[in-house]
Amino acid sequence: MLAVLDAPPRTVGSRVWGLYAQARTGWWRVSDPKRLSETHRRVVFEALDDSGRLDRFRGARILEIGPKHGEDSRLLAGLGPSELVLLDLPEKDELVQQWLTAVEAICPTRYVTGNLMYLSPEELAGLGSFDLVWCLGVLYHNVEQLRLLRRLFHLTTTNGLVVVESATTRNRSLAGKNVVEVHWPELYRGQRTITHLPSRLALKSWLEMVGYTEVQIEPVYSRHTSWQRAVLTGIRPAEPKPYLSYVAEGAPPWAAGDAT
């Protein structure tokens, strides 16, 4: 018979940390309850799903940009889409392959390797259009953010929904303004892919400029998180009115974000 091993005695430091963690959890539960769920749940999906906003996408075509760990992919697959298309950078292939089979077992799934900003016209056409475009944690890693949002717009079907989540400026004096903070040539926290951090209002303006309507800043995150990250949704209308540059009689309709 194997002897039952006793748990190692807790040190003073571990006991202090445990008491601190309990007190912190209790304080969050009272002061900022949303913060408790952010550490272990996919709060963006759950908030939109709980509100019924995702019901109409059951059986629809869904596109997820930057699935990475696949946690949202599994939830999106659970909506029973007619097709779930996943697009990520080539360097994420190995990570994606670790969970892709599990998602493929839930719904028809297609994984596309590439950079959305550099796909050929033929590759873009091959993606088709989508009723739900899901793009979390991607935008702020792109230097051409307005152009990326316009590309998402082109991939959204009429009356389709886009969901965008992004880090925003952490400068509290700028957080409530309609501004974009530029981090270049200095690296932002050592990340060479982060050159621009928009405010929440700037994200809203950009989505409207590329043609989305009914743009909303969604109250998903806790107070602790919402000043430095934002979730926005928008609808592609039947008659979009994006911002047009150099408008003149007889001029082509040069829409913001369409420059090549």
Side-chain angles (χ1 to χ4, degrees), residues 41 52 78 88 99 119 127 129 140-141 169 219 231:
R41 292 166 54 191
D88 215 330
W99 51 262
L119 296 181
L127 292 176
S129 59
Y140 66 102
H141 285 292
T169 175
V231 178

Side-chain angles (χ1 to χ4, degrees), residues 6 25 29 53 61-63 78 85 89 109 123 131 154 166 179 226 228 239:
D6 292 331
T25 298
R29 186 172 288 112
R53 301 274 299 281
R61 293 193 81 227
I62 298 177
L63 171 66
V85 176
L89 299 171
T109 305
E123 289 172 320
D131 305 287
H154 286 308
S166 176
V179 297
S226 60
Q228 57 188 311
E239 298 182 6

